[in-house]
Amino acid sequence: MKVNIDKDLVPMKAHYFLFNAGTAPVVPFMPQLALQLGYSSVVVGTMYMILPIIGLVAKPLFGYIADRYHRHRFLFLAGQALTAVAFFMIMFVPAVEPETQFHCHAGVSNIRYCSNYAADTEKQLETHFGNRTLSCQMHCQMVPPMWDIVCNNWLLNKTANCQTANSSKPWIDFVTYINMKDIIEEPLANGNGKCLNFLIPHDKGVVDSHNVTLYCPKENDIFRPKCQMNCNDTYLETLLPASQTIHTRGAMAKPEFWFFFGMLIISWAGMAVVVSIGDAICFSLLGDRHHLYGKQRLCGSLGWGIFAVVAGLLVDAMSEEGSTVKNYTIVFWMTLIILGFDMLASTKLKHTQTHMSSNILKDVGQMFLSMRCIVFFLWCVAIGLGTALIWNFLFIYLEELAQPFDEGKYIKTLEGLVMGIQCFGGELPLFFLSGWILKRIGHVNAMSLVLFGFGVRFILYSMLQNPWYILPIELLNGVTFGLFYATMASYASIVAPPGTEATMQSLVGAIFEGVGVSIGSQVAGQLFAAVSARTTFEIFGIAAFIIFIIHVCVQMYLQRNVPDENGKGRSSTASAPDSASASPPSTATNTATDIVNPTSPKNLDDFRDVDLS
């Protein structure tokens, strides 16, 4: 049997595969990376509240520019380049380290450790260590005046040419001792954390193999270098982590946070442009074959699933065994290279805009006059709320569950498998069958089914005890994302007035992410901090079931009480195929009239059930 391949659609399939393959290694791991860098769940939630708002602005704006000035291809490629470069630059963001200083003044020396450690840390240390004294290696930053103190007061000419040899060195290594019984705790002046002062008995230390007294003159108050401390004690390292967790106020004061967040903003804007304009280009190439969209989009699920699994395996393999700090370097290189190939494939797209609108804003604005359109937009917001919890906090929840089992040793592998099952077992089959499903049950029933799927999924999450039991639950991703996305994109494409395709796809995507995902991220972040992760999923699950019931009731009301094109309260299913396949108006000047005219095939109210065959 000869297989006919539409060569014009091959570059589109390649784009979906490569773009999702390029973003899969980084996007799911960004919240965990933010936590590893030292930012709290509230900071993560706040960032992921703002990022979709960036999409809310970028999608309609660039969708309008693409339609108005016919720059679909240019903006499409520029979005891919911005996404690749911005994600790659995140690799260079440093972690937030706790402030450790060595204080030396008037014959009294101590090590000052400031961070957001637990409230009872001081008592735990004193109980565990008793009267023990620990030997700690110090690596401290230096400036020339500090070397004067080291040479003149610590070494006391024990090293020839001390100042000449060391005055230009930016650091010093020495060994000192801390008495675990003498620990003084004090709050920071700004209220963002506390400090532990470890007293050094008799100011003793070792510099360049010389036993010295770490003495500083009273009149000299400059020896307070920032240091890295290593006492080679596992218990101490557990209570005093190498990186601190900071909250919103502290994060905003750090330039490294703004660099990290700035790169995320650029990458999110780039992805927003690529996704919305890419879908518009896809539907333009498909013409009246809207039911084939899912079969193009499943290539994206294939790319995401494969490279998400590979990325998870590589991160675990390249990270130090037994360490909870993961090495993400490989995923940034994967993103840069794969998105480079995506740009190459996208240059082969044969896309030209055949329809134009004389007034894009007016044409799209007419959509908000339809009750069913407003319900559709609100449905997108509700789905965004649930999607935010999965996208940004599911893996954080998994890492909490994993601690009692393998202490995070294989957590990235598990996360990669989760994404693999989401794609291969969930999204890919549902994208493939989406046209058939929408033909059989219609868009409205599909929307209700997606809401019900979210409720089931969240309740099952809240019941998890072993993190590995999450794998079969991820099959529901086919309903909550695969069927959802096909429903949203095809519905928006069908009802979009000619010449506004990119604008309409951008608007719907902006409502989903910029409103729904944004609000959901903030709410989820606050709930994670206020209650437990398990309770958060339970709350979202109950809310999903409530919204499902409301949606069914509203749609039943619209079906019975909102007149259709024949003036009857109940829309005729038999008219749906004609509505879906009707030819668009021949001129752009008729577009706005067609939208509000109840006899027009482009009236959104006619699409209660749309046949995509």
Side-chain angles (χ1 to χ4, degrees), residues 130-144:
N131 292 325
R132 285 180 55 191
T133 298
L134 296 183
S135 172
C136 299
Q137 297 176 342
M138 305 296 295
H139 182 81
C140 300
Q141 300 176 2
M142 296 288 284
V143 293

Side-chain angles (χ1 to χ4, degrees), residues 64 357-369 497 500 503 589 591-593 595-596:
Y64 172 81
S357 172
S358 59
N359 194 329
I360 296 174
L361 296 179
K362 181 179 179 181
D363 291 348
V364 174
Q366 294 288 346
M367 295 291 181
F368 291 92
L369 300 179
T500 67
T503 305
T589 56
T591 302
T593 304
I595 296 175
V596 297

Side-chain angles (χ1 to χ4, degrees), residues 81-91 262-264 266-268:
L82 280 176
T83 302
V85 173
F87 273 135
F88 185 73
M89 294 301 294
I90 291 176
M91 180 174 67
M263 292 300 102
L264 280 180
I266 294 173
S267 63
W268 244 250

